[in-house]
Amino acid sequence: MTELTELTAVQLVDGYRKGEFSPVEVTRAALDRAERIQPRVNAFVRLTPEEALIRAGESAERWRRGEPAGAVDGVPVTVKDILLLRGGPTLRGSRAVDPRGKWDEDAPSVARLREQGAVFLGKTTTPEYGWKGVTDSPLTGVTRNPHDPSRTAGGSSGGAAAAVALGAGPLALGTDGGGSVRIPAAFCGIFALKPTYGRVPLYPASAFGTLSHVGPMTLDAADAALLLDVIGVPDERDWSALGPPPGSFTRALTGGVRGLRVAYSPCLGGQVAVRPDVAAAVRRAVERLADLGAWVTEEDPDITDPVDAFHTLWFTGAARVVQHLGPQQRELLDPGLREICASGERRSALDYLAAVDVRMDLGRRMGRFHTSYDLLVTPTVPITAFEAGAEVPHGSGLRRWTGWTPFTYPFNMTQQPAATVPVGTAGDGLPVGLQLAAARHRDDLVLRAAHALYEAGIGLRPAPSGGLTPGGT
């Protein structure tokens, strides 16, 4: 019999409807799993079991009456500790944040989930202010990979990815400013979507501006579509949010990939050195897309690596994040964060505007590319998870996290939807992710293609190893 913690959100809601189990049973199982995995992977800033069980009991009563509050009533959810969750502090991975205060407001995505009866298990870990592609911070320490605790979970939504992978709630809210839902999802073997910018409202506004997206991190594409249906609606607090979606993302899952025009770019025209076993796993999945009826062509988009422009946008955003801190508070920061903030402070307004010009040209080029192709497929990350506690792989010669994730941050600059699908393992037994990107506002196409891969058995999660199987400790 499948354990409750291994069921998707879609399966849980179906089970509630049929009376096969209750939200209280599911919540207790998820909390037990979260408590058991925490010493090994460090996925949580805090758990809120009392509140979770109260909400689960209320949900159980609604289901008993046949009056669920919404599409995710009774489903356990975790929230990255960048997003506001009322009733407790949002520390953002930083010792410089004062935990005292009212903390009486939900972020828009959290508010939508609360309205529809979701059960909040707690807050998941993040590097300080979400600044890098791995998850460790002076506040909470190192978050580790469920498949091998000596490796990183990725970041910056690393705690969310580890929690979902190990059954501590099937739904998680993450944020993504340069790959921060896709990187850890790829490293941990789960699904994640960075939606079109503005599809999910964000409040308070990010200092990283329109690079930052809120995205679902889930067991599969169907769960992500369900979650996006709930959170992808306007909120008056976000002036840059999109209007209502044109339809249900869940209903858009069907139809498969037959006839879709897919460009497969294995290394962005030779610009990225992809590890051979990672490349082989992605290519096998691309061949499956062709078997399913997609028109697949090996083709590279007409772009060059925008890392210098991204650094200008990212480092100035980081400088703005900590601008209010005094000298003593700055001493509490992650040393790497202090470095990029200092770099950001040295850049001028003209430097920033030049980076915006690069961004706009990149968006124009990708917009033109998608007049010929419905989807672009790449590896999500060209490597598998490396040693925990390091920003870059030892011996790589790289300085910053952007050096090993060149496939992700371009799509934050262009605001396109991009998702990662687990497509097997590399030679080291660690998960490999395939990235799907589409034109702005075509989140439905990304989810539909990802769902087709899951339906074909390609997107199945590899079971965590290293003593951290879903049923173990």
Side-chain angles (χ1 to χ4, degrees):
M1 179 179 176
T2 303
E3 292 191 35
L4 293 177
T5 52
E6 295 174 20
L7 298 177
T8 67
V10 171
Q11 291 169 327
L12 289 178
V13 171
D14 186 56
Y16 297 157
R17 185 177 296 110
K18 294 175 179 175
E20 294 174 346
F21 40 75
S22 79
V24 174
E25 293 175 273
V26 169
T27 298
R28 283 179 176 151
L31 286 168
D32 179 66
R33 180 62 55 79
E35 290 168 356
R36 287 196 288 142
I37 68 173
Q38 179 63 7
R40 293 290 302 280
V41 298
N42 188 32
F44 290 93
V45 177
R46 70 176 182 277
L47 291 165
T48 53
E50 292 183 5
E51 179 190 345
L53 288 169
I54 289 171
R55 287 186 61 82
E58 294 168 345
S59 173
E61 177 59 23
R62 288 191 294 270
W63 280 107
R64 188 191 65 78
R65 297 195 309 265
E67 300 173 353
V72 292
D73 199 344
V75 177
V77 180
T78 62
V79 179
K80 183 180 180 181
D81 200 35
I82 290 289
L83 299 169
L84 296 177
L85 174 65
R86 76 181 191 220
T90 296
L91 300 175
R92 300 176 175 88
S94 181
R95 294 182 295 175
V97 174
D98 188 348
R100 297 168 297 180
K102 291 183 179 180
W103 302 109
D104 58 356
E105 193 170 19
D106 285 330
S109 51
V110 175
R112 302 295 84 77
L113 284 164
R114 191 183 296 277
E115 290 163 1
Q116 297 209 22
V119 174
F120 300 110
L121 300 180
K123 302 296 285 291
T124 54
T125 53
T126 176
E128 198 160 23
Y129 297 106
W131 79 271
K132 59 184 174 179
V134 294
T135 300
D136 58 71
S137 75
L139 179 69
T140 58
V142 177
T143 297
R144 299 178 180 276
N145 194 294
H147 300 260
D148 179 350
S150 72
R151 308 293 185 100
T152 180
S156 62
S157 306
V164 171
L166 287 170
L171 302 180
L173 291 178
T175 62
D176 189 315
S180 288
V181 300
R182 289 161 289 155
I183 295 165
F187 279 0
C188 293
I190 67 165
F191 181 82
L193 170 69
K194 180 194 75 64
T196 299
Y197 178 79
R199 180 72 281 149
V200 182
L202 179 61
Y203 171 86
S206 172
F208 297 106
T210 58
L211 292 173
S212 293
H213 303 56
V214 177
M217 304 180 72
T218 59
L219 291 172
D220 61 19
D223 270 13
L226 173 69
L227 183 50
L228 192 58
D229 279 338
V230 174
I231 65 176
V233 294
D235 187 287
E236 68 278 1
R237 294 172 291 175
D238 184 352
W239 65 271
S240 64
L242 298 176
S248 165
F249 293 105
T250 297
R251 285 196 293 271
L253 288 173
T254 59
V257 296
R258 183 168 298 280
L260 292 183
R261 301 164 299 167
V262 176
Y264 168 44
S265 179
C267 55
L268 294 181
Q271 297 181 73
V272 182
V274 180
R275 217 172 71 186
D277 51 352
V278 171
V282 173
R283 183 174 290 276
R284 286 192 296 270
V286 171
E287 290 169 353
R288 189 70 178 117
L289 284 173
D291 293 340
L292 294 171
W295 294 96
V296 177
T297 305
E298 192 162 318
E299 184 71 29
D300 301 307
D302 178 27
I303 61 173
T304 54
D305 188 354
V307 67
D308 291 337
F310 179 80
H311 280 169
T312 294
L313 299 171
W314 194 250
F315 295 176
T316 54
R320 176 62 176 158
V321 166
V322 304
Q323 188 177 29
H324 67 288
L325 299 180
Q328 288 183 324
Q329 288 175 302
R330 289 194 178 217
E331 284 302 311
L332 300 174
L333 298 177
D334 181 327
L337 177 58
R338 287 203 303 268
E339 286 182 17
I340 71 163
C341 290
S343 176
E345 288 168 349
R346 293 192 294 269
R347 302 186 192 222
S348 70
L350 288 177
D351 293 332
Y352 186 91
L353 291 174
V356 171
D357 286 342
V358 171
R359 184 180 188 182
M360 289 190 293
D361 183 62
L362 183 67
R364 176 186 64 82
R365 290 170 184 267
M366 287 307 305
R368 186 170 60 191
F369 181 81
H370 283 292
T371 62
S372 299
Y373 296 100
D374 300 303
L375 293 165
L376 171 65
V377 176
T378 71
T380 306
V381 188
I383 58 176
T384 57
F386 51 90
E387 54 273 17
E391 183 184 346
V392 301
H394 289 159
S396 66
L398 299 172
R399 176 64 179 157
R400 295 266 80 102
W401 62 272
T402 43
W404 51 263
T405 182
F407 291 113
T408 57
Y409 54 78
F411 301 107
N412 293 81
M413 297 180 75
T414 62
Q415 304 187 344
Q416 295 172 241
T420 182
V421 181
V423 291
T425 56
D428 54 11
L430 294 172
V432 172
L434 170 150
Q435 181 172 243
L436 291 160
R440 292 175 73 243
H441 311 295
R442 293 313 309 266
D443 306 74
D444 59 319
L445 276 183
V446 171
L447 287 165
R448 185 173 127 200
H451 184 63
L453 286 172
Y454 276 98
E455 291 279 284
I458 296 295
L460 298 177
R461 291 180 295 148
S465 58
L468 284 171
T469 59
T473 59

